[in-house]
Coordinates of all heavy atoms in Angstrom, one line a residue:
L168 N -16.2 4.7 3.2 CA -16.2 5.1 1.8 C -15.9 3.9 0.9 O -16.5 3.7 -0.2 CB -15.3 6.2 1.5 CG -15.7 7.6 2.0 CD1 -14.6 8.6 1.7 CD2 -17.1 8.0 1.5
A169 N -15.0 3.1 1.3 CA -14.6 1.9 0.5 C -15.8 0.9 0.4 O -16.1 0.4 -0.7 CB -13.4 1.2 1.0
Q170 N -16.4 0.7 1.5 CA -17.6 -0.2 1.5 C -18.7 0.4 0.6 O -19.4 -0.3 -0.1 CB -18.2 -0.4 3.0 CG -17.3 -1.2 3.8 CD -17.3 -2.7 3.5 OE1 -17.8 -3.1 2.5 NE2 -16.6 -3.5 4.3
R171 N -18.9 1.7 0.7 CA -19.9 2.4 -0.1 C -19.6 2.2 -1.6 O -20.5 1.9 -2.4 CB -20.0 3.8 0.3 CG -21.5 4.3 0.4 CD -21.6 5.8 0.7 NE -21.3 6.1 2.1 CZ -21.1 7.3 2.6 NH1 -21.2 8.3 1.8 NH2 -20.9 7.5 3.8
A172 N -18.3 2.4 -1.9 CA -17.9 2.3 -3.3 C -18.1 0.8 -3.8 O -18.6 0.6 -4.9 CB -16.4 2.6 -3.5
A173 N -17.8 -0.1 -3.0 CA -18.0 -1.5 -3.4 C -19.5 -1.8 -3.6 O -19.9 -2.5 -4.6 CB -17.5 -2.5 -2.3
K174 N -20.3 -1.3 -2.7 CA -21.8 -1.5 -2.8 C -22.3 -0.9 -4.1 O -23.1 -1.6 -4.8 CB -22.5 -0.8 -1.6 CG -23.7 -1.5 -1.2 CD -24.1 -1.0 0.2 CE -25.4 -1.6 0.6 NZ -25.8 -1.1 1.9
E175 N -21.9 0.3 -4.4 CA -22.3 1.0 -5.6 C -21.9 0.1 -6.9 O -22.7 0.1 -7.8 CB -21.5 2.3 -5.7 CG -22.1 3.4 -6.6 CD -21.2 4.6 -6.5 OE1 -20.9 5.1 -5.4 OE2 -20.8 5.1 -7.6
L176 N -20.8 -0.5 -6.8 CA -20.3 -1.3 -7.9 C -20.9 -2.8 -7.9 O -20.7 -3.6 -8.8 CB -18.8 -1.4 -8.0 CG -18.1 -0.1 -8.2 CD1 -16.6 -0.3 -7.8 CD2 -18.2 0.3 -9.7
G177 N -21.6 -3.1 -6.8 CA -22.1 -4.5 -6.7 C -20.9 -5.5 -6.5 O -21.1 -6.7 -6.8
L178 N -19.8 -5.0 -5.9 CA -18.7 -5.9 -5.6 C -18.7 -6.3 -4.2 O -18.8 -5.5 -3.3 CB -17.4 -5.1 -5.9 CG -16.9 -4.9 -7.3 CD1 -15.5 -4.1 -7.2 CD2 -16.6 -6.3 -7.9
P179 N -18.5 -7.6 -3.9 CA -18.4 -8.0 -2.5 C -17.0 -7.5 -2.0 O -16.0 -7.6 -2.7 CB -18.4 -9.5 -2.5 CG -18.6 -9.9 -3.9 CD -18.4 -8.7 -4.8
L180 N -17.0 -7.0 -0.8 CA -15.7 -6.5 -0.2 C -15.7 -7.1 1.2 O -16.5 -6.7 2.1 CB -15.7 -5.0 -0.1 CG -14.4 -4.3 0.4 CD1 -13.2 -4.8 -0.3 CD2 -14.5 -2.8 0.4
K181 N -14.8 -8.1 1.4 CA -14.7 -8.7 2.7 C -13.8 -7.8 3.6 O -13.3 -6.8 3.2 CB -14.0 -10.1 2.6 CG -14.6 -11.0 1.5 CD -15.3 -12.1 2.1 CE -16.2 -12.8 1.1 NZ -15.7 -14.1 0.6
Q182 N -13.7 -8.1 4.9 CA -12.9 -7.4 5.8 C -12.0 -8.3 6.6 O -12.4 -9.4 6.9 CB -13.8 -6.6 6.8 CG -14.8 -5.7 6.2 CD -15.1 -4.6 7.2 OE1 -14.3 -4.0 7.9 NE2 -16.4 -4.3 7.3
G183 N -10.9 -7.8 7.1 CA -10.1 -8.7 7.9 C -8.8 -8.1 8.3 O -8.4 -6.9 8.0
V184 N -8.0 -8.8 9.1 CA -6.7 -8.4 9.7 C -5.6 -9.0 8.8 O -5.6 -10.2 8.4 CB -6.6 -8.9 11.1 CG1 -5.2 -8.7 11.6 CG2 -7.6 -8.3 12.0
Y185 N -4.7 -8.1 8.4 CA -3.5 -8.4 7.5 C -2.3 -8.6 8.4 O -2.0 -7.9 9.3 CB -3.3 -7.3 6.6 CG -2.1 -7.4 5.6 CD1 -2.3 -8.0 4.4 CD2 -0.9 -6.9 6.0 CE1 -1.2 -8.1 3.5 CE2 0.2 -7.0 5.1 CZ 0.0 -7.6 3.9 OH 1.1 -7.7 3.0
L186 N -1.6 -9.7 8.1 CA -0.3 -9.9 8.8 C 0.9 -9.8 7.8 O 0.8 -10.4 6.8 CB -0.3 -11.3 9.5 CG 0.9 -11.6 10.4 CD1 0.5 -12.5 11.6 CD2 2.0 -12.4 9.6
Q187 N 1.9 -9.0 8.2 CA 3.0 -8.9 7.3 C 4.2 -9.8 7.8 O 4.5 -9.8 9.0 CB 3.5 -7.4 7.3 CG 4.7 -7.2 6.4 CD 5.2 -5.8 6.2 OE1 4.6 -4.9 6.8 NE2 6.2 -5.6 5.4
T188 N 4.7 -10.5 6.8 CA 6.0 -11.3 7.1 C 7.1 -10.6 6.3 O 6.8 -9.7 5.4 CB 5.9 -12.7 6.6 OG1 5.8 -12.7 5.1 CG2 4.7 -13.4 7.2
T189 N 8.3 -11.0 6.5 CA 9.4 -10.4 5.8 C 9.4 -11.0 4.3 O 9.8 -10.3 3.4 CB 10.8 -10.8 6.4 OG1 11.0 -12.2 6.3 CG2 10.9 -10.3 7.8
G190 N 8.9 -12.3 4.1 CA 9.1 -12.9 2.9 C 10.6 -13.2 2.8 O 11.3 -13.0 3.7
P191 N 11.1 -13.5 1.6 CA 10.4 -13.7 0.3 C 9.8 -15.1 0.2 O 9.0 -15.3 -0.6 CB 11.5 -13.6 -0.7 CG 12.7 -14.1 0.0 CD 12.6 -13.7 1.4
N192 N 10.2 -16.0 1.1 CA 9.5 -17.4 1.1 C 8.1 -17.2 1.5 O 7.8 -16.4 2.4 CB 10.3 -18.4 2.0 CG 10.5 -17.8 3.4 OD1 11.3 -17.0 3.6 ND2 9.7 -18.2 4.3
Y193 N 7.2 -18.1 1.0 CA 5.9 -18.2 1.5 C 5.9 -18.9 2.9 O 7.0 -19.4 3.2 CB 4.9 -18.9 0.5 CG 4.7 -18.1 -0.8 CD1 5.2 -18.7 -2.0 CD2 4.1 -16.9 -0.7 CE1 5.0 -18.0 -3.2 CE2 3.8 -16.2 -1.9 CZ 4.3 -16.7 -3.1 OH 4.1 -16.0 -4.3
E194 N 4.8 -19.0 3.6 CA 4.8 -19.5 4.9 C 4.8 -21.0 4.9 O 4.4 -21.6 3.9 CB 3.6 -19.0 5.7 CG 3.4 -17.5 5.8 CD 3.2 -16.8 4.4 OE1 2.4 -17.3 3.6 OE2 3.9 -15.8 4.2
T195 N 5.1 -21.6 6.0 CA 4.8 -23.1 6.2 C 3.4 -23.2 6.7 O 2.9 -22.2 7.3 CB 5.8 -23.7 7.2 OG1 5.5 -23.1 8.5 CG2 7.3 -23.5 6.9
P196 N 2.8 -24.4 6.6 CA 1.5 -24.6 7.1 C 1.4 -24.3 8.6 O 0.5 -23.8 9.2 CB 1.2 -26.1 6.8 CG 1.9 -26.3 5.5 CD 3.2 -25.5 5.7
A197 N 2.5 -24.7 9.4 CA 2.5 -24.4 10.8 C 2.5 -22.9 11.1 O 1.9 -22.5 12.0 CB 3.7 -25.1 11.5
E198 N 3.2 -22.2 10.3 CA 3.2 -20.7 10.5 C 1.8 -20.1 10.2 O 1.3 -19.3 10.9 CB 4.3 -20.0 9.6 CG 5.7 -20.2 10.1 CD 6.7 -19.9 9.0 OE1 6.4 -19.9 7.8 OE2 7.9 -19.7 9.4
V199 N 1.2 -20.7 9.2 CA -0.2 -20.2 8.9 C -1.1 -20.5 10.0 O -1.9 -19.7 10.4 CB -0.6 -20.8 7.5 CG1 -2.1 -20.5 7.3 CG2 0.2 -20.2 6.4
R200 N -1.0 -21.7 10.6 CA -1.8 -22.0 11.8 C -1.6 -21.1 12.9 O -2.5 -20.6 13.6 CB -1.6 -23.5 12.2 CG -2.2 -24.5 11.3 CD -2.2 -25.9 11.9 NE -0.9 -26.4 12.3 CZ -0.1 -27.1 11.4 NH1 -0.5 -27.3 10.2 NH2 1.0 -27.6 11.8
L201 N -0.3 -20.7 13.1 CA 0.1 -19.8 14.2 C -0.6 -18.4 13.9 O -1.2 -17.8 14.8 CB 1.6 -19.6 14.2 CG 2.1 -18.4 15.1 CD1 1.9 -18.7 16.5 CD2 3.6 -18.2 14.8
Y202 N -0.4 -17.9 12.7 CA -1.0 -16.6 12.3 C -2.5 -16.5 12.5 O -3.1 -15.6 12.9 CB -0.5 -16.2 10.9 CG 1.0 -16.1 10.7 CD1 1.5 -16.2 9.4 CD2 1.8 -15.9 11.7 CE1 2.9 -16.1 9.2 CE2 3.2 -15.8 11.5 CZ 3.7 -15.9 10.3 OH 5.1 -15.8 10.1
R203 N -3.1 -17.6 12.1 CA -4.5 -17.8 12.2 C -5.0 -17.7 13.6 O -5.9 -17.0 14.0 CB -5.0 -19.1 11.5 CG -6.5 -19.3 11.5 CD -7.1 -18.5 10.4 NE -8.6 -18.4 10.7 CZ -9.2 -17.3 10.9 NH1 -8.6 -16.1 11.0 NH2 -10.5 -17.3 11.1
A204 N -4.2 -18.4 14.5 CA -4.5 -18.4 15.9 C -4.3 -17.0 16.5 O -5.0 -16.6 17.5 CB -3.6 -19.4 16.6
L205 N -3.4 -16.2 15.9 CA -3.2 -14.9 16.4 C -4.2 -13.9 15.9 O -4.2 -12.7 16.3 CB -1.8 -14.4 16.0 CG -0.6 -15.2 16.6 CD1 0.7 -14.6 16.0 CD2 -0.6 -15.0 18.1
G206 N -5.1 -14.3 15.0 CA -6.1 -13.4 14.6 C -6.0 -12.8 13.2 O -6.7 -11.9 12.8
A207 N -5.0 -13.4 12.4 CA -4.8 -12.9 11.1 C -5.8 -13.5 10.1 O -6.1 -14.7 10.3 CB -3.4 -13.1 10.6
D208 N -6.2 -12.8 9.1 CA -7.1 -13.3 8.1 C -6.3 -13.4 6.7 O -6.7 -14.2 5.9 CB -8.3 -12.4 7.8 CG -9.2 -12.3 9.1 OD1 -9.7 -13.4 9.4 OD2 -9.2 -11.2 9.7
A209 N -5.3 -12.6 6.6 CA -4.5 -12.7 5.3 C -3.1 -12.4 5.6 O -2.7 -11.7 6.6 CB -5.1 -11.6 4.4
V210 N -2.2 -12.9 4.8 CA -0.8 -12.7 5.0 C -0.1 -12.3 3.7 O -0.4 -12.7 2.6 CB -0.1 -14.1 5.6 CG1 -0.3 -15.2 4.6 CG2 1.4 -13.9 5.9
G211 N 0.8 -11.3 3.9 CA 1.6 -10.8 2.7 C 2.9 -10.2 3.2 O 3.3 -10.3 4.4
M212 N 3.6 -9.6 2.2 CA 4.9 -9.1 2.5 C 5.1 -7.6 2.3 O 6.2 -7.1 2.1 CB 5.9 -9.8 1.5 CG 5.8 -11.4 1.5 SD 6.7 -12.1 0.2 CE 6.1 -13.8 0.2
S213 N 4.1 -6.9 2.6 CA 4.2 -5.4 2.4 C 3.2 -4.7 3.4 O 2.7 -5.3 4.3 CB 3.9 -5.0 1.0 OG 2.6 -5.2 0.7
T214 N 2.9 -3.5 3.1 CA 1.7 -2.8 3.6 C 1.7 -2.3 5.0 O 1.6 -1.2 5.3 CB 0.4 -3.5 3.3 OG1 0.3 -3.7 1.8 CG2 -0.8 -2.8 3.7
A215 N 1.9 -3.3 6.0 CA 1.8 -2.9 7.4 C 2.8 -1.9 7.8 O 2.6 -0.9 8.5 CB 1.8 -4.2 8.3
C216 N 4.1 -2.1 7.3 CA 5.1 -1.2 7.6 C 4.8 0.2 7.0 O 5.1 1.2 7.6 CB 6.5 -1.7 7.1 SG 6.6 -2.0 5.4
E217 N 4.3 0.2 5.8 CA 3.9 1.5 5.2 C 2.8 2.2 6.0 O 2.8 3.4 6.2 CB 3.5 1.3 3.7 CG 4.6 0.7 2.9 CD 4.1 0.0 1.6 OE1 2.9 -0.4 1.6 OE2 4.9 -0.1 0.7
A218 N 1.9 1.4 6.5 CA 0.8 1.9 7.2 C 1.3 2.6 8.5 O 0.9 3.6 9.0 CB -0.3 0.9 7.5
V219 N 2.3 1.9 9.2 CA 2.8 2.4 10.4 C 3.5 3.7 10.2 O 3.3 4.7 10.9 CB 3.9 1.4 11.0 CG1 4.7 2.0 12.2 CG2 3.1 0.1 11.5
C220 N 4.3 3.8 9.1 CA 5.0 5.0 8.7 C 4.0 6.2 8.4 O 4.2 7.3 8.9 CB 5.9 4.7 7.5 SG 6.5 6.2 6.7
A221 N 3.0 5.8 7.7 CA 2.0 6.8 7.4 C 1.2 7.4 8.6 O 1.0 8.6 8.8 CB 0.9 6.3 6.4
R222 N 0.9 6.5 9.5 CA 0.2 6.9 10.8 C 1.2 7.7 11.6 O 0.7 8.7 12.3 CB -0.3 5.7 11.6 CG -1.5 5.0 11.0 CD -2.7 5.9 10.8 NE -3.2 6.5 12.0 CZ -3.6 7.7 12.2 NH1 -3.7 8.5 11.1 NH2 -4.1 8.1 13.3
H223 N 2.4 7.4 11.6 CA 3.4 8.2 12.4 C 3.4 9.6 12.0 O 3.5 10.6 12.8 CB 4.8 7.6 12.1 CG 6.0 8.3 12.8 ND1 7.0 8.8 12.0 CD2 6.2 8.6 14.1 CE1 7.9 9.3 12.9 NE2 7.4 9.2 14.1
M224 N 3.1 9.9 10.7 CA 3.1 11.2 10.1 C 1.7 11.8 10.2 O 1.4 12.9 9.7 CB 3.5 11.3 8.7 CG 5.0 10.8 8.5 SD 5.6 10.9 6.8 CE 4.6 9.6 6.0
G225 N 0.7 11.0 10.8 CA -0.6 11.5 10.9 C -1.5 11.4 9.6 O -2.5 12.0 9.5
M226 N -1.0 10.6 8.7 CA -1.8 10.4 7.5 C -2.9 9.5 7.7 O -2.9 8.6 8.6 CB -0.9 9.8 6.3 CG 0.1 10.8 5.8 SD 1.2 9.9 4.6 CE 0.2 9.9 3.1
E227 N -4.0 9.6 6.9 CA -5.1 8.7 7.0 C -4.9 7.5 6.1 O -4.4 7.7 5.0 CB -6.4 9.5 6.5 CG -7.6 9.2 7.3 CD -8.8 10.1 6.8 OE1 -8.5 11.1 6.0 OE2 -9.9 9.7 7.1
V228 N -5.1 6.3 6.6 CA -4.7 5.1 5.8 C -5.9 4.2 5.5 O -6.8 4.0 6.3 CB -3.7 4.3 6.7 CG1 -3.3 3.0 5.9 CG2 -2.5 5.1 7.0
C229 N -5.9 3.7 4.2 CA -6.9 2.7 3.8 C -6.1 1.6 3.2 O -5.1 1.8 2.5 CB -7.9 3.3 2.8 SG -9.2 2.2 2.4
G230 N -6.4 0.3 3.5 CA -5.7 -0.8 3.0 C -6.6 -1.8 2.4 O -7.7 -2.1 3.0
I231 N -6.3 -2.3 1.2 CA -7.1 -3.3 0.5 C -6.2 -4.4 0.0 O -5.3 -4.1 -0.8 CB -8.0 -2.7 -0.6 CG1 -8.8 -1.5 -0.1 CG2 -8.9 -3.8 -1.2 CD1 -9.6 -0.8 -1.2
S232 N -6.5 -5.7 0.3 CA -5.8 -6.8 -0.2 C -6.6 -7.5 -1.3 O -7.8 -7.6 -1.2 CB -5.6 -7.9 0.9 OG -4.7 -7.4 1.9
C233 N -5.9 -8.0 -2.3 CA -6.5 -8.9 -3.2 C -6.0 -10.3 -2.7 O -4.8 -10.6 -2.7 CB -5.9 -8.7 -4.6 SG -6.5 -9.9 -5.8
I234 N -7.0 -11.1 -2.3 CA -6.6 -12.5 -1.9 C -6.3 -13.3 -3.2 O -7.2 -13.6 -3.9 CB -7.8 -13.1 -1.1 CG1 -8.2 -12.2 0.1 CG2 -7.4 -14.5 -0.6 CD1 -7.1 -12.0 1.1
T235 N -5.1 -13.6 -3.4 CA -4.7 -14.3 -4.6 C -4.6 -15.8 -4.5 O -4.5 -16.5 -5.5 CB -3.3 -13.7 -5.1 OG1 -2.4 -13.9 -4.0 CG2 -3.4 -12.3 -5.5
N236 N -4.5 -16.3 -3.3 CA -4.4 -17.7 -3.1 C -4.8 -18.0 -1.7 O -4.8 -17.1 -0.8 CB -2.9 -18.1 -3.3 CG -2.0 -17.3 -2.4 OD1 -1.7 -16.1 -2.6 ND2 -1.5 -17.9 -1.3
L237 N -5.0 -19.3 -1.4 CA -5.2 -19.7 0.0 C -3.8 -19.9 0.6 O -2.9 -20.3 -0.1 CB -6.0 -21.1 0.0 CG -7.4 -21.0 -0.4 CD1 -8.0 -22.4 -0.5 CD2 -8.2 -20.1 0.5
A238 N -3.7 -19.5 1.8 CA -2.4 -19.5 2.5 C -1.9 -21.0 2.6 O -2.7 -21.9 2.5 CB -2.4 -18.9 3.9
A239 N -0.6 -21.2 2.8 CA 0.0 -22.5 2.7 C -0.7 -23.5 3.7 O -1.0 -23.1 4.8 CB 1.5 -22.4 3.1
G240 N -1.0 -24.7 3.2 CA -1.6 -25.7 4.1 C -3.1 -25.6 4.1 O -3.8 -26.6 4.5
I241 N -3.7 -24.5 3.7 CA -5.1 -24.4 3.6 C -5.7 -25.0 2.3 O -6.6 -25.7 2.3 CB -5.6 -22.9 3.9 CG1 -5.2 -22.5 5.3 CG2 -7.1 -22.8 3.7 CD1 -5.6 -21.1 5.7
G242 N -5.0 -24.6 1.2 CA -5.3 -25.2 -0.1 C -4.5 -26.5 -0.2 O -3.6 -26.8 0.6
K243 N -4.7 -27.2 -1.3 CA -4.1 -28.5 -1.5 C -2.8 -28.3 -2.3 O -1.9 -29.2 -2.3 CB -5.0 -29.4 -2.3 CG -6.4 -29.7 -1.6 CD -6.4 -31.0 -0.9 CE -7.7 -31.3 -0.1 NZ -7.9 -30.3 1.0
T244 N -2.7 -27.2 -3.1 CA -1.6 -27.1 -4.0 C -0.4 -26.3 -3.5 O -0.7 -25.4 -2.6 CB -2.0 -26.5 -5.4 OG1 -2.8 -25.3 -5.0 CG2 -3.0 -27.5 -6.1
P245 N 0.8 -26.5 -3.9 CA 1.9 -25.6 -3.5 C 1.7 -24.2 -4.0 O 1.0 -24.0 -5.0 CB 3.1 -26.2 -4.2 CG 2.7 -27.5 -4.7 CD 1.2 -27.5 -4.9
L246 N 2.2 -23.2 -3.3 CA 2.1 -21.8 -3.7 C 3.1 -21.4 -4.8 O 4.2 -22.0 -4.8 CB 2.3 -20.9 -2.5 CG 1.1 -20.6 -1.6 CD1 0.4 -21.9 -1.1 CD2 1.5 -19.8 -0.4
S247 N 2.6 -20.5 -5.6 CA 3.6 -20.0 -6.6 C 3.3 -18.6 -6.9 O 2.2 -18.1 -6.9 CB 3.5 -20.9 -7.9 OG 2.3 -20.6 -8.6
H248 N 4.4 -17.9 -7.3 CA 4.2 -16.5 -7.7 C 3.3 -16.4 -9.0 O 2.6 -15.4 -9.1 CB 5.6 -15.9 -8.0 CG 5.6 -14.4 -8.3 ND1 5.0 -13.5 -7.4 CD2 6.1 -13.7 -9.3 CE1 5.2 -12.3 -7.9 NE2 5.8 -12.3 -9.0

Side-chain angles (χ1 to χ4, degrees):
L168 286 180
Q170 288 289 8
R171 223 183 284 171
K174 208 166 181 183
E175 199 181 309
L176 294 166
L178 280 180
L180 181 58
K181 308 250 167 103
Q182 299 207 48
V184 173
Y185 176 91
L186 183 145
Q187 181 175 0
T188 67
T189 63
N192 51 285
Y193 294 115
E194 302 66 41
T195 64
E198 285 167 339
V199 169
R200 287 195 296 275
L201 168 71
Y202 299 158
R203 183 74 196 116
L205 293 177
D208 296 295
V210 57
M212 306 173 192
S213 66
T214 301
C216 59
E217 295 159 339
V219 169
C220 166
R222 288 302 299 142
H223 178 236
M224 299 183 290
M226 290 173 81
E227 218 178 345
V228 180
C229 185
I231 307 175
S232 293
C233 172
I234 304 300
T235 51
N236 56 285
L237 292 174
I241 294 184
K243 304 258 178 294
T244 51
L246 271 55
S247 73
H248 187 52

